[in-house]
Amino acid sequence: QVMAQHNDLGREGETRSVLYLLQRDYHILECNWHGAACEIDIIAAHYGEIVFVEVKTRNFHDGTSPEEAVTSNRMYRMSRAAEEYLMANRLQEFPFRFDILSVLVKDGVWSIQHIKHAFFLKPKKRNPF
């Protein structure tokens, strides 16, 4: 029951995030795109830039801010998936960035904080030995 409510909350947060972006002249390219490394919630184009968006939705009463849930491991996996997407779609020449949409619901009122350039592409870790 709790997991179902969590999934419903996340889906509603993603739906509201797409509408939020559309209202700000973003062109939605993909929703829930699956790469080898991970899923990217939203891929959009905005004035010639490709924007990879991680949506984090939380109930206000959970006590943590949504963006705190984006771990360094998640950033690394998302950057790998972004590279895969850019190569697969021959978009390597376009500038790109990673944004987080922090979606919070408190007593039925939804708010979205848009964190642009939330993190940068993580270089591959290479073992020198």
Side-chain angles (χ1 to χ4, degrees):
Q1 180 72 6
V2 171
M3 190 62 169
Q5 288 174 337
H6 175 78
N7 289 342
D8 289 345
L9 185 72
R11 269 193 296 278
E12 180 69 18
E14 286 188 16
T15 298
R16 288 174 181 267
S17 293
V18 166
L19 293 173
Y20 169 92
L21 292 171
L22 287 172
Q23 290 168 350
R24 286 154 182 81
D25 296 327
Y26 285 75
H27 177 73
I28 306 301
L29 301 174
E30 304 276 351
C31 288
N32 302 311
W33 184 83
H34 289 271
C38 72
E39 177 184 306
I40 298 176
D41 295 330
I42 301 170
I43 302 173
H46 191 242
Y47 297 107
E49 192 170 35
I50 307 296
V51 185
F52 297 96
V53 182
E54 176 71 3
V55 177
K56 285 295 177 193
T57 307
R58 291 288 181 273
N59 191 311
F60 178 78
H61 304 291
D62 289 349
T64 59
S65 67
E67 63 273 14
E68 289 179 65
V70 182
T71 64
S72 59
N73 182 45
R74 175 68 182 156
M75 292 176 203
Y76 177 78
R77 289 189 358 258
M78 196 170 162
S79 64
R80 298 274 72 77
E83 281 184 324
E84 181 184 347
Y85 178 84
L86 292 169
M87 288 184 64
N89 292 281
R90 295 188 170 94
L91 297 170
Q92 301 97 306
E93 71 277 6
F94 284 91
F96 63 92
R97 69 176 199 253
F98 297 94
D99 290 3
I100 296 174
L101 287 180
S102 175
V103 184
L104 206 56
V105 61
K106 179 182 181 182
D107 302 323
V109 177
W110 293 78
S111 63
I112 297 177
Q113 180 187 3
H114 189 170
I115 304 163
K116 295 180 182 179
H117 302 281
F119 60 93
F120 297 92
L121 189 66
K122 303 292 182 203
K124 285 189 169 112
K125 291 178 172 50
R126 298 195 196 282
N127 187 339
F129 304 104

